[in-house]
Amino acid sequence: MLALRLTRTAHLAVHLRRLLVAVASAGTGFLLLCALGYALSHPDTPGAAALRLAWCAAPLAAAVHLAVAVARTDPGTRPRSGLSAIGLGPGRLMAVSATTTALSAVLGSVAALFLFLHLRGDLTGGPPSGRVAADALAVGQSLPAPAVLTLLVLVPVFASAAVAHTLRPRDPRPSTATAPRGYGRFGAYGWGKARETFGAYGRFGSRAAAPAGGRAAVAVAAGSRAAGAAGVDADGALRTQASDPHPPAATDVTTKTPDTPEAQPEPAPRPQNTTALPWGIAVLAAGLTVETYTGNASAAPTPGTAPSAGVLVGWALTALGLALAGPGLTHLCGRLLQAARPGALRLLAGRVLMEESHRIGRPLGVVAAVAAAAYVAATVYDGDGPAFGPLATLGALLVAGCTTATLLTAAVAAKHARADTTDALLRLGAPPSTLRGAAAVRAAALLALFGPLTLIVAVLAALPLDH
């Protein structure tokens, strides 16, 4: 009931994103039912029917990826302070988000079933309608209910499971401020030195060259740091950190007042996104190798047939490699923007790219893989090649639409995440044209990096199939 209330009271943009999930689920469910209809119409060729069903994994993965991106940006299931007191902790909100995703996917699966039955003529009692081939609809044959139900629940089950796994509660890393006291330098008893994050103390030289109006704030911060450096022992004696010449930074100290029984530690710094880059490159190379060997060993696809299973495995590895390498490439792009004495514009654009690489890097890699696949499809299915049927067109549009919608959703989420930083820059006097220029520089840098990479992958993947 809580999931239904949150769904009903959500904003229009949230409803539109959930509608996209329902449309993706409907398209994927319809393709799965058409694969079942082809298997029923051709019982003598189980291999071709299984291959058609296997190629439905691409729109299924795209729909699940979109559902996870939409669930991440849902404001109704975002953890807030005070909700745990009424039983809405992170675990309960995760369950609500998974339930909402399942409801949207089930709505799409039901719509796919009604469309499939309508095209077969089961609802109207007349002849089949539409441009879909009769062998994909299994006209005149009874549909096995267990098989239909199994195929229709694939998208809701996988989407809700992926959302639950992505939004599962995670234990925060222990902060250095909450660590137990030990023996400090030269055996002196006191707090150990807290680890300072980059730029936490005197960022961009603001402490060395503070304006007249900011000196009061610096003094207040110094006074609060000095007040926090004092503690009271069990016997009531006042104890300070005089033995420690390096007190903890103000950003790493967790405040604890009499009204708050437990201190809330600061979140740990996010690890670098370049660790998966070598793995992504290795998986990408493996996918291109598999596709090259299978493409050279098999013939070109004939009209009405799909490429071989080896090509499917190769493309799956290629897409996975680009998805793994996407965050690292985006992070590297941000670093390259800040090279060679950058100005304020390039510095701002590079910092934002490095910060947002974990949000938009993976969707960018998936979009690059889809664009490369579109180039290969345009090369293989040309005017003299096999026909690109309506079901293949639906699958291609579904995958392209889901990946593009996922990238746009991630971009919007990244924009909302840095809204406080943007407001702070505007309050400090940064002109809006500078922010727009930084956005244009980020887009141009990503296009300059991912464009040639996509073209190279597409050309290498199309070579073994163009024969």
Side-chain angles (χ1 to χ4, degrees):
M1 294 301 295
L2 180 60
L4 291 176
R5 288 182 179 180
L6 291 176
T7 302
R8 183 174 57 86
T9 59
H11 296 285
L12 180 60
V14 178
H15 284 303
L16 291 178
R17 289 195 291 264
R18 291 171 181 170
L19 182 60
L20 289 177
V21 175
V23 171
S25 177
T28 306
F30 182 77
L31 290 177
L32 291 171
L33 292 179
C34 289
L36 174 62
Y38 183 86
L40 294 176
S41 302
H42 300 81
D44 52 343
T45 56
L51 185 59
R52 282 175 173 261
L53 183 61
W55 272 100
C56 293
L60 176 61
V64 171
H65 194 202
L66 175 61
V68 172
V70 170
R72 280 178 172 176
T73 59
D74 193 351
T77 57
R78 190 173 302 166
R80 297 181 180 89
S81 59
L83 291 181
S84 298
I86 59 175
L88 291 178
R92 182 72 181 278
L93 291 178
M94 177 268 296
V96 170
S97 182
T99 305
T100 305
T101 304
L103 289 176
S104 301
V106 166
L107 178 62
S109 297
V110 172
L113 178 60
F114 277 102
L115 178 61
F116 186 77
L117 295 178
H118 173 72
L119 293 179
R120 278 169 49 93
D122 295 340
L123 298 180
T124 59
S129 59
R131 298 180 57 185
V132 182
D135 56 352
L137 298 175
V139 179
Q141 301 184 24
S142 60
L143 297 175
V148 172
L149 182 62
T150 302
L151 293 177
L152 289 180
V153 300
L154 285 180
V155 179
V157 168
F158 279 107
S160 58
V163 169
H165 176 74
T166 304
L167 302 181
R168 69 188 185 278
R170 295 179 176 87
D171 295 332
R173 296 183 180 180
S175 177
T176 54
T178 58
R181 297 191 302 270
Y183 288 94
R185 189 173 300 175
F186 301 109
Y189 185 79
W191 287 291
K193 181 180 179 180
R195 184 178 180 182
E196 293 184 356
T197 58
F198 176 76
Y201 185 83
R203 180 169 295 180
F204 301 115
S206 60
R207 192 169 180 83
R215 294 177 182 175
V218 173
V220 171
S224 62
R225 186 181 295 112
V232 180
D233 286 334
D235 54 356
L238 180 66
R239 174 177 46 79
T240 62
Q241 302 183 41
S243 61
D244 191 0
H246 302 282
T251 55
D252 290 336
V253 176
T254 42
T255 57
K256 184 174 181 180
T257 61
D259 297 334
T260 57
E262 297 182 358
Q264 300 295 331
E266 291 280 342
R270 188 180 295 109
Q272 301 292 339
N273 296 311
T274 58
T275 55
L277 181 58
W279 293 101
I281 296 175
V283 174
L284 174 62
L288 292 176
T289 303
V290 171
E291 188 178 355
T292 301
Y293 278 111
T294 56
N296 290 329
S298 61
T302 58
T305 62
S308 61
V311 177
L312 173 61
V313 174
W315 267 116
L317 292 177
T318 302
L320 179 60
L322 287 174
L324 289 176
L329 291 176
T330 307
H331 193 274
L332 179 62
C333 186
R335 282 188 175 274
L336 292 178
L337 277 178
Q338 303 174 73
R341 302 176 64 88
L345 192 63
R346 284 198 293 134
L347 184 63
L348 179 60
R351 290 285 181 175
V352 172
L353 275 184
M354 292 174 60
E355 181 66 23
E356 295 178 354
S357 58
H358 69 287
R359 294 180 182 270
I360 65 174
R362 188 163 299 174
L364 270 175
V366 176
V367 168
V370 172
Y375 177 85
V376 174
T379 303
V380 176
Y381 294 91
D382 53 2
D384 300 331
F388 205 68
L391 292 180
T393 304
L394 175 62
L397 292 178
L398 187 62
V399 172
C402 287
T403 52
T404 305
T406 302
L407 178 60
L408 294 178
T409 303
V412 171
K415 181 180 179 180
H416 290 331
R418 66 172 186 271
D420 295 338
T421 305
T422 303
D423 295 340
L425 290 175
L426 292 176
R427 287 196 302 269
L428 290 175
S433 59
T434 302
L435 301 181
R436 292 192 296 267
V441 169
R442 292 196 303 269
L446 291 176
L447 184 61
L449 179 63
F450 281 91
L453 176 64
T454 303
L455 185 59
I456 292 174
V457 172
V459 170
L460 293 177
L463 285 178
L465 297 178
D466 192 11
H467 63 273

